[in-house]
Amino acid sequence: YIPRSSYSPFLRTPPPSTMSACAASSLAFRAVVAPRAAAPRRTSRAPRATGVTCAAVQKISVGEVKDHLDRGFIVVDIRDPEECAETGYRSAWKNIVLAAMDDDGAIHMNPNFLAQIKKEFPNTMSRMLIACDDGTFRSEKACTAIVDKLQYTQCKVIEGGIDAYLAHTPLTQADKIKWRTTPEEGQDLSALIYGVDIRQPGEKFY
């Protein structure tokens, strides 16, 4: 009788030296493919920037307003009509309301503010002095929107707002006059254009 292990090389029990080598190889393999321990997560994060990334608001003092007006700047009063009625305003100012408060105290933003600015000042190089009552939050918000969203380059805020400006330069009676032009009857020049009088009976050209 010949033991099966003597003629079947696949069923032989490997010698102890071979088993030791296999065990060592298996340990080495497990060491290579074993997953690495997960690195501890960093609990601290870099602080996010809290500053506003928009362009810095340019401000001028009330003493500098006259010089700016002489250089072509126009005051844009962003107060609501009730505030304007309380203090008065110059007829040369442009009143474009940024926000208004209703009877319940709720504040409503003017959705057409930027569109109205663009209509009044089509050129992005138009010179504007923005002013609310005290020249703080509303003025800065309006100026930032005009510069960042409409890309205007000559927009500044009056420090202290309308209240400080009127205290420095009070209104006069002439400031409140609104000049309006009305059509006046003049010489009919239609004959020079058409060669004949084309007016209908009773019709006048102004």
Side-chain angles (χ1 to χ4, degrees):
Y1 174 79
I2 301 175
R4 186 182 297 271
S5 59
S6 62
Y7 63 84
S8 177
F10 301 101
L11 299 178
R12 291 178 182 174
T13 302
S17 60
T18 305
M19 292 182 63
S20 299
C22 292
S25 176
S26 177
L27 290 174
F29 177 78
R30 286 199 299 270
V32 171
V33 301
R36 296 181 180 179
R41 293 185 178 179
R42 300 174 65 180
T43 56
S44 59
R45 295 182 178 178
R48 294 183 178 179
T50 56
V52 181
T53 58
C54 58
V57 174
Q58 299 183 57
K59 295 186 177 183
I60 65 170
S61 65
V62 292
E64 298 174 291
V65 172
K66 184 180 184 305
D67 176 66
H68 280 70
L69 295 178
D70 293 341
R71 292 192 285 124
F73 279 80
I74 296 177
V75 175
V76 179
D77 187 352
I78 61 173
R79 301 176 300 168
D80 63 44
E82 292 184 0
E83 292 176 290
C84 295
E86 289 177 2
T87 62
Y89 60 93
R90 284 184 167 84
S91 59
W93 296 352
K94 296 291 185 181
N95 181 222
I96 304 177
V97 180
L98 175 68
M101 183 181 296
D102 60 20
D103 296 337
D104 297 328
I107 297 177
H108 302 274
M109 302 298 294
N110 178 10
N112 301 317
F113 176 75
L114 292 179
Q116 291 174 337
I117 288 289
K118 199 167 184 179
K119 180 179 179 180
E120 290 288 345
F121 303 94
N123 194 330
T124 57
M125 296 183 67
S126 299
R127 301 178 176 185
M128 290 175 278
L129 298 178
I130 307 298
C132 58
D133 58 339
D134 57 4
T136 55
F137 176 74
R138 277 188 295 175
S139 295
E140 294 174 0
K141 185 178 181 66
C143 186
T144 299
I146 292 171
V147 172
D148 288 351
K149 296 183 179 181
L150 298 183
Q151 303 299 311
Y152 280 50
T153 59
Q154 300 292 325
C155 185
K156 302 180 181 181
V157 169
I158 300 177
E159 286 186 318
I162 298 296
D163 293 345
Y165 177 57
L166 292 183
H168 179 270
T169 311
L171 293 174
T172 64
Q173 193 62 32
D175 291 328
K176 302 177 183 179
I177 298 176
K178 292 185 178 181
W179 299 98
R180 296 181 180 178
T181 58
T182 56
E184 295 182 0
E185 183 176 357
Q187 182 181 1
D188 179 26
L189 301 178
S190 62
L192 299 178
I193 301 175
Y194 300 102
V196 294
D197 189 348
I198 61 172
R199 289 178 297 177
Q200 299 296 324
E203 183 180 5
K204 296 181 180 180
F205 291 156
Y206 297 99

